Amino acid sequence: MSPQPVTPRLVGDRLDDVIGACEAIGRYVGDERLPEDLVHDAVRMRLVEIGEAVRVLPSTVTASEPDIPWSRVSDLGDRLTRRYFDTTRAVVFGTAHTDVPHLADAARRLRATRP
């Protein structure tokens, strides 16, 4: 039996990934019952996911949201993957609390323009 062909992900799918990851991060940091170590690990993984999704978004799409530093979002995902050892908790939690809500809003606006 041959493997199923991989269907390319559409821009809308990538934006859905970003939105879903941002919403998950909001739930993690908003739940005070969760241990901080667990939240840190979960947020880092979701930031990696966001970085990967953003990395393949066409600049023609992201250009309509110039207030978001799209290349820095992608770079953060890469940094958390490859240089995880020099990324502080303050960066991870600061990003989660400050930047992720703005990114989620921008991704929702972009998603609203896609089929």
Side-chain angles (χ1 to χ4, degrees):
M1 184 175 205
S2 62
Q4 294 287 344
V6 177
T7 305
R9 307 253 346 205
L10 302 173
V11 169
D13 296 328
R14 300 291 181 168
L15 291 169
D16 288 341
D17 293 342
V18 171
I19 294 165
C22 288
E23 290 172 348
I25 289 171
R27 288 191 305 275
Y28 303 154
V29 298
D31 191 338
E32 294 180 7
R33 298 169 298 163
L34 296 174
E36 185 177 314
D37 286 348
L38 180 66
V39 173
H40 177 255
D41 290 347
V43 169
R44 282 185 43 196
M45 192 63 227
R46 292 299 187 143
L47 290 173
V48 168
E49 184 179 325
I50 290 168
E52 283 300 302
V54 165
R55 183 179 58 79
V56 297
L57 288 175
S59 60
T60 55
V61 172
T62 59
S64 64
E65 289 289 340
D67 291 338
I68 301 295
W70 295 102
S71 63
R72 289 186 63 204
V73 172
S74 176
D75 290 347
L76 179 61
D78 189 55
R79 180 177 177 185
L80 288 169
T81 302
R82 291 175 181 76
R83 298 193 51 83
Y84 60 89
F85 51 85
D86 70 355
T87 305
T88 67
R89 285 180 183 256
V91 168
V92 171
F93 284 110
T95 300
H97 288 287
T98 304
D99 302 320
V100 166
H102 298 294
L103 177 62
D105 291 342
R108 284 186 194 100
R109 287 189 296 270
L110 292 173
R111 184 64 176 105
T113 67
R114 314 285 324 153

